[in-house]
Amino acid sequence: MLPRLPYRIQIPLGLALAVTLSVLLVSAVAAQISARSARQEIVATVERVTALLVAQGRPLLVAEDTWRAYALLRNTAALLPDAGKGHARAAILDADGRFLAGSDPQRLPTGDQALGVTVNGRRLPPSKDVPTTQTLDAGDGSLALIQPIRSDDEKVIGFVYAEVDAAAFAPNWTALAMPALIGAALAVIVLVPLGWFAGRRMAQPVAQIASSIALIGRVDLPVLQRLVPNVMDPELGRIAGAVRRLLAEMSERQANEQRALSAERLAAVGRITAAVAHEINNPLAGLLTATRTLRLHGDAPEARLRAVDLIERGLQQIRTMTAALLPQARVEDRCMTATDLDDVITLARATASMHSVSVTSALENKADLCVPSTVFRQVMLNLLLNAIKAAGAGGQVHAVLSSDPQAVRFVVANTGRVLSSDDLQQRLAAEDRNDPRGFGLWICHEFAVRYGGGFAATEPDTIPPPFGTSLSFWLPRLTHHDHPKTAAD
């Protein structure tokens, strides 16, 4: 509640609350000390009364004069705290521990045994266990004192017994709390106006600084710098200086951003251009191979038909893949079929022959391969060409296309230099920043993100020999994810 209030209210209320709590705390401690001191004073009074009874009760015990002992107790016990309210009483006991006389005959009846039995809810020790003065503190706060009476030859001839109820020790909290309440009230009366004035004086420059900060983005920065107040307070001066430096840095940053915006636009155009060029160049080797096949074997109807069909699909892929590279594009595409893997392998064999790399493939669970064919063909060709280049002369590449009820997966394994999962992540981070080595793996990763799939490298120690690197790409089937993700999604 308090932090939501303005400073001009927080400061006086905080001061008043702090002083009030301090006064109450000091008063509580003082009350405890006073209560403890009062108890010690009561105990001292009881000891003085018992000492008086011991001195005056010795001849009465020798004479066994009960009436004079009662008169002595009636006059002397009145000195005990709250004796008039019945909270304190005293008695003289004979040598056997029986009451000779008591100031309250109903609670300390003459002739009854006292020592060694329970008296008024308190168990008293036997007479033989009271060689000296004993003080008995009960758990409820009451007090009992037993002091032996000795003859001139130091023989115990009786005892003085005094008890004080817990009510006599109860402090007067009302009287103790009154000074604390008066002090707290005076503190509030004095500090609230002073705190209000100090809070208003402190809050004014803070409010001006806050208003200047609130206008950032709506008022020109040079104007805002002039609106920041000059204050004499060291702490507020540091805040105002920090705001001025912030505004100056923001002004400089805006100028730098304007200069960097043009460079960023040119860089973005360069990235798109490089990506499109990369994806167009990938199928060109296969298409050139198909044109050479036409030139050499164009008379054979089957070879001519297969080459023309391959060229047509390759050109169609180039057309659709350039649209697929754009995040806002929605590519209308067919489901992939088993022949797409054959086409991709055919397009990649020209590069494999140039590097003397052996390429094998396998198709598992080909019944349902319903994923966007253009995107998946592009990824398969990218991964195959990267694997061929990584395998090196005389290397091996093995590709597996499979499907399950949830997704379609393409895995490419190759010999040559090992590429771990950490290496792949570093390569993707580098290629995202225009790594001159190419865009193939980065584009595969982007398609996995956009279409809700995945792209990862298998750890080398789990790959069967002779392969050292295995990359896996998968997309959810169109029945589970019909469209690629867009920025709006």
Side-chain angles (χ1 to χ4, degrees), residues 54 58 62 95 130-133 147-159:
V54 167
R58 182 181 298 112
V62 173
V130 191
T132 58
T133 303
Q147 185 171 350
I149 302 176
R150 299 180 182 273
S151 62
D152 294 336
D153 57 356
E154 294 299 321
K155 182 180 179 180
V156 176
I157 61 175
F159 302 89

Side-chain angles (χ1 to χ4, degrees), residues 105-175:
Q106 293 183 351
R107 302 187 66 176
L108 307 174
T110 301
D112 285 3
Q113 183 67 35
L115 298 182
V117 299
T118 301
V119 177
N120 295 330
R122 180 184 290 105
R123 181 72 178 182
L124 301 181
S127 58
K128 61 183 180 62
D129 294 336
V130 191
T132 58
T133 303
Q134 288 194 11
T135 302
L136 307 176
D137 288 319
D140 59 354
S142 61
L143 173 72
L145 189 143
I146 305 173
Q147 185 171 350
I149 302 176
R150 299 180 182 273
S151 62
D152 294 336
D153 57 356
E154 294 299 321
K155 182 180 179 180
V156 176
I157 61 175
F159 302 89
V160 173
Y161 173 73
E163 61 180 12
V164 181
D165 296 337
F169 295 101
N172 188 352
W173 294 113
T174 302

Side-chain angles (χ1 to χ4, degrees), residues 11-13 15-20 186-197:
I11 292 175
L13 289 183
L15 289 174
L17 181 61
V19 172
T20 302
L186 291 175
V188 171
I189 293 173
V190 174
L191 290 177
V192 166
L194 293 178
W196 184 275
F197 175 76

Side-chain angles (χ1 to χ4, degrees), residues 123 181 207 227 242 305 354:
R123 181 72 178 182
L181 296 177
L227 293 178
L305 186 60
M354 294 173 56

Side-chain angles (χ1 to χ4, degrees), residues 348-359 384-397:
R349 286 196 186 280
T351 303
S353 298
M354 294 173 56
H355 293 82
S356 301
V357 174
S358 173
V359 178
L384 279 171
L385 294 178
N386 276 282
I388 291 170
K389 295 175 182 178
Q396 300 180 39
V397 174

